[in-house]
Amino acid sequence: MKNFHRCVMATLVCALLIPGVSLATSATRSIFGSMPDGRKVEAVKLQNDHGVSVTVIAYGARVQSLVTPDRNGHLADVALGYNTMAGYLSKRQFFGATVGRFANRIATGQFTLDGKHYQLTINDGPNSLHGGTEGFDTRLWQVTSVKQGPTASVTLSLVSPDGDQGYPGRLTATVTYSLGEENQLTIDARATTDKTTIVNISNHTYWNLDGAGSGTVMNQRLLIPADQITPVDKTQIPTGTFQSVAGTPFDFRHAKAIGQDIRDGRSSQLLIGKGYDMNWVISRTKSAEPRLVAQVESPASGRILRLYSRQPGLQFYSGNFLDGTTVGRSGHTYRQGDAFVLEPQIFPDTPNHPNFGSAELRPGQVYDNRIVYRFSTDKGGAKH
């Protein structure tokens, strides 16, 4: 037995000392808090050898924390959130959440499917937003799998019954968060149904590459490789048209500071959203493999976030409605422009715009949305 322990210790020491050899990414389970009815909310922390860690909680299957180093190796949490359940339950802000059944907006909460009219719950002016009054972000998901290894992961599941928030079909959804040694967080959202329905699941993490609560993101530089947006009406519902970004504040084809054009009062679209809150057209259809849909770099910290997805659309939101009344995990308030959100998805209100494609999911089919976040720095990190 003593020889066995010596062998194990020798192996661990070699793994730490030999370049290119790394320990497995760890996964640690704990209890984050409780729901009002007493149900326990699990948390799973995934952590690699490079200081990158993500904590996922079962309430809303959400990112509660994501820690990553800057160019000098200093660690900071770059995802907005709370330290306790009280914060998440006090105000619905979608911090880190899995949003669905239908991410983004559906006009007046209505759509027709196979000749039948459906009415969803209304929670955003006249419209339904992120699944309605009780979307996936408000549910306690079940942790069904936790794995360690070269890539550690946690899988959470939720069953949404037929008629939930007005949606047809019993939908079974899973979300898997995976973290490896390459500083890549992958989110795989999948769903099946027993009746034809519509699905559009995404992630709503608020990011600040200088650290949550550190102040504005307006100097952080954003690139979105999209030639068009889907302009919206006064209630932020797409008009059904496509508009070129050329010569507008929405042109991020070459990286620029988020705040460079955000105060352009000539843009009615910026006035409607009180800043950026728009769908960019990455393509008209889903791609075969994940491709770069956004890149953000902080000149101050050197952190770089690259986002990959197969989805045709990307909703970019510049934290316009953070109003200084939220005190986050850092003990600092979150104010307007203190974070950004990037949501790969199909286009908003797709069920009511045939030219946008289809949001339908039928029995026997599998909905999937893979979202890949790659973290690096401008010094010592990959820049490809």
Side-chain angles (χ1 to χ4, degrees):
M1 183 60 71
K2 290 182 178 178
N3 289 336
F4 171 77
H5 286 303
R6 289 193 187 99
C7 290
V8 171
M9 290 304 297
T11 301
L12 291 174
V13 170
C14 287
L16 290 170
L17 296 179
I18 298 175
V21 177
S22 60
L23 300 177
T25 305
S26 65
T28 308
R29 297 176 79 154
S30 62
I31 299 300
F32 182 75
S34 300
M35 297 291 289
D37 61 6
R39 288 177 296 164
K40 299 299 182 184
V41 178
E42 279 202 82
V44 177
K45 181 178 181 179
L46 310 177
Q47 183 167 1
N48 69 18
D49 290 345
H50 306 300
V52 177
S53 68
V54 58
T55 299
V56 176
I57 62 173
Y59 179 66
R62 74 182 67 223
V63 173
Q64 184 265 338
S65 165
L66 193 143
V67 174
T68 188
D70 66 8
R71 64 163 65 92
N72 297 314
H74 299 143
L75 298 175
D77 199 329
V78 297
L80 274 60
Y82 298 101
N83 283 325
T84 66
M85 276 299 298
Y88 291 106
L89 294 171
S90 65
K91 188 176 182 181
R92 190 182 182 192
Q93 294 177 290
F94 307 107
F95 288 159
T98 295
V99 287
R101 286 189 191 189
F102 196 95
N104 220 308
R105 295 173 175 84
I106 294 182
T108 65
Q110 299 182 61
F111 64 95
T112 300
L113 187 60
D114 289 344
K116 185 175 180 180
H117 176 265
Y118 292 94
Q119 176 64 60
L120 308 176
T121 56
I122 301 301
N123 64 320
D124 183 61
N127 306 315
S128 185
L129 173 67
H130 295 327
T133 55
E134 296 180 13
F136 285 179
D137 61 292
T138 69
R139 309 297 175 86
L140 182 60
W141 293 57
Q142 181 181 1
V143 176
T144 56
S145 174
V146 176
K147 297 179 180 179
Q148 308 207 42
T151 298
S153 67
V154 54
T155 298
L156 306 99
S157 66
L158 177 72
V159 176
S160 174
D162 185 16
D164 187 7
Q165 305 303 298
Y167 289 94
R170 182 178 187 270
L171 193 80
T172 301
T174 63
V175 176
T176 299
Y177 290 87
S178 305
L179 178 68
E181 289 300 320
E182 67 284 0
N183 298 345
Q184 175 174 299
L185 174 65
T186 301
I187 304 175
D188 284 298
R190 297 167 65 87
T192 58
T193 184
D194 66 354
K195 184 189 298 184
T196 301
T197 189
I198 60 170
V199 184
N200 184 29
I201 301 172
S202 193
N203 180 271
H204 204 285
T205 298
Y206 285 72
W207 303 103
N208 184 329
L209 297 185
D210 292 332
S214 65
T216 184
V217 297
M218 291 298 109
N219 291 326
Q220 295 176 23
R221 296 178 61 80
L222 170 66
L223 178 145
I224 302 177
D227 296 328
Q228 296 176 313
I229 57 171
T230 51
V232 297
D233 64 19
K234 292 182 179 180
T235 69
Q236 293 188 271
I237 292 295
T239 62
T241 61
F242 296 90
Q243 176 183 311
S244 171
V245 300
T248 77
F250 297 90
D251 191 349
F252 285 92
R253 292 174 294 180
H254 299 283
K256 66 179 181 182
I258 292 172
Q260 178 175 311
D261 299 316
I262 201 169
R263 289 181 171 82
D264 188 340
R266 296 168 295 178
S267 171
S268 62
Q269 296 292 295
L270 285 177
L271 296 177
I272 290 170
K274 296 181 171 57
Y276 292 111
D277 191 5
M278 180 64 64
N279 171 64
W280 271 254
V281 180
I282 303 299
S283 63
R284 295 295 182 94
T285 59
K286 194 174 180 179
S287 65
E289 298 294 334
R291 67 280 178 86
L292 183 73
V293 297
Q295 176 177 304
V296 188
E297 181 171 1
S298 167
S301 68
R303 292 187 182 92
I304 301 170
L305 169 59
R306 293 181 178 86
L307 174 60
Y308 298 81
S309 169
R310 297 173 56 208
Q311 297 298 314
L314 177 71
Q315 187 82 11
F316 164 52
Y317 168 59
S318 52
N320 314 324
F321 295 95
L322 297 173
D323 60 6
T325 62
T326 296
V327 180
R329 187 176 43 248
S330 63
H332 294 92
T333 59
Y334 299 150
R335 304 190 66 84
Q336 186 179 56
D338 279 359
F340 61 86
V341 180
L342 297 165
E343 303 165 81
Q345 56 191 249
I346 62 174
F347 304 157
D349 202 31
T350 283
N352 294 310
H353 299 282
N355 61 321
F356 281 5
S358 174
E360 294 179 9
L361 180 70
R362 298 184 178 274
Q365 297 178 332
V366 177
Y367 167 88
D368 72 278
N369 183 6
R370 168 167 284 192
I371 302 172
V372 180
Y373 302 101
R374 291 182 183 169
F375 295 92
S376 60
T377 66
D378 62 7
K379 180 181 179 182
K383 295 198 71 175
H384 57 270

